[in-house]
Amino acid sequence: MEDAERVLRRAPLFEGLDDETARELRHQMTEVHLTRGEHLFLEGQDGDRLYVVLDGKIKLTRAAADGRENLLSVLGPGEMFGELSLFDPRPRTSSATAVTEASLAALAHDTLRPWLIAHPEVSMHMLQALARRLRRITDVMADLVFTDVPGRVAKNLLDLADRFGQQEPDGLHVHHDLTQEELAQLVGASRETVNKALADFAARGWIQISARSVLILDAERLRRRARLFSGGWKPTPRPPGPRRFPPQCHPAGRPFGPSRPGDPRSSLTLAAEPP
């Protein structure tokens, strides 16, 4: 386990603080310990404090009315969450659950508010963290629209590798600690489709799959696959002039039926198409 003080200094709450001020804030925090699968808080509950992960992994999820679950993100050491209710005191928008045994530092909002007034520079760091999270959500929404499932699988593997990967002689080991179902929820696709993409990557020699982990052998190939449709769909420019449809094709895309040599329908031209 990495030293708790060093982990806390990576959190947005501690960015830009000198050692003395950081120690002052640290003394006002309490530690929370969770076992694997234990809930820290549930969606809809009142939020009265923020958390910084010291050790282990925490997943943030939302549940549908029919019981289905959407995994929003997986957080590791140094990452902060729960601060949204500090600025918007409404019920929690997600549930927080321990993916592994985890230790966290908690700070009550009632304690943090006067401290922020005395140290306004910290508020800017927290707002920057919220802005980064908003950008991430925007990227995720765009990926769901513009990127196919294999591309999203590759992108999520690289993101997990960036935060949890360890470089070793045989490749980049990523111990994400997620089940197949959780990984599929993170990607936003069915487990079968995600497993098919993973099996394809393994067959190509890009990765090796193990229980709750993956060994990345060719990160560059994954990067290329993740960016395959990253720019979104772009229509191919149409040349000027009337649009000519292929033989046996109706302008609406329906076939005309069999055509005979010399049949004028085989080279139908739409003379006046609206721009």
Side-chain angles (χ1 to χ4, degrees):
M1 176 179 174
E2 190 177 355
D3 179 71
E5 303 300 327
R6 187 177 302 173
V7 173
L8 279 174
R9 293 307 299 264
R10 300 205 302 263
L13 185 61
F14 286 82
E15 287 183 9
L17 298 182
D18 57 54
D19 292 341
E20 182 179 351
T21 307
R23 281 194 297 270
E24 176 188 342
L25 180 60
R26 176 69 177 95
H27 290 156
Q28 300 183 62
M29 305 182 79
T30 58
E31 285 200 17
V32 179
H33 301 280
L34 301 175
T35 59
R36 182 185 181 89
E38 186 177 355
H39 294 296
L40 177 64
F41 56 75
L42 297 175
E43 180 181 351
Q45 291 181 341
D46 291 335
D48 62 349
R49 62 195 62 222
L50 61 78
Y51 300 89
V52 178
V53 181
L54 299 178
D55 185 51
K57 298 182 182 68
I58 298 290
K59 67 175 181 178
L60 301 181
T61 61
R62 294 199 68 166
D66 60 4
R68 289 179 300 165
E69 198 171 62
N70 177 28
L71 202 164
L72 303 175
S73 61
V74 180
L75 306 176
E79 296 188 271
M80 184 177 69
F81 63 99
E83 75 279 16
L84 184 61
S85 55
L86 173 68
F87 301 100
D88 182 19
R90 289 190 292 178
R92 299 283 193 189
T93 58
S94 61
S95 300
T97 308
V99 177
T100 64
E101 290 190 2
S103 298
L104 307 98
L107 183 63
H109 292 166
D110 290 341
T111 302
L112 180 58
R113 287 190 184 96
W115 199 89
L116 289 178
I117 294 175
H119 304 82
E121 68 278 5
V122 178
S123 298
M124 289 303 301
H125 290 295
M126 295 186 66
L127 290 174
Q128 288 171 0
L130 288 173
R132 288 195 295 268
R133 188 173 304 169
L134 180 59
R135 288 179 184 273
R136 177 181 172 80
I137 292 173
T138 302
D139 289 342
V140 169
M141 294 299 295
D143 286 340
L144 289 172
V145 176
F146 297 121
T147 307
D148 62 353
V149 172
R152 299 205 303 271
V153 171
K155 190 169 186 177
N156 276 277
L157 287 179
L158 292 169
D159 178 64
L160 292 170
D162 184 55
R163 293 185 294 128
F164 305 121
Q166 293 181 342
Q167 188 65 53
E168 297 184 13
D170 56 344
L172 183 59
H173 284 259
V174 185
H175 298 277
H176 52 70
D177 293 297
L178 300 175
T179 65
Q180 292 181 346
E181 184 62 34
E182 288 171 334
L183 187 57
Q185 292 171 5
L186 185 63
V187 172
S190 69
R191 185 175 65 178
E192 293 77 12
T193 307
V194 171
N195 285 345
K196 184 178 179 181
L198 289 171
D200 178 62
F201 294 168
R204 295 172 183 270
W206 300 352
I207 64 173
Q208 287 181 5
I209 306 170
S210 302
R212 301 179 186 271
S213 68
V214 64
L215 173 63
I216 296 180
L217 302 173
D218 195 336
E220 182 58 33
R221 292 283 187 177
L222 285 179
R223 291 189 190 97
R224 293 179 187 176
R225 188 62 185 87
R227 288 198 290 259
L228 187 58
F229 301 102
S230 61
W233 178 78
K234 295 182 180 180
T236 302
R238 197 183 72 197
R243 186 174 179 182
R244 188 175 297 274
F245 288 87
Q248 298 184 325
C249 185
H250 186 277
R254 298 187 297 272
F256 275 113
S259 61
R260 299 181 299 275
D263 191 331
R265 293 178 300 177
S266 63
S267 59
L268 176 69
T269 299
L270 188 63
E273 185 183 30

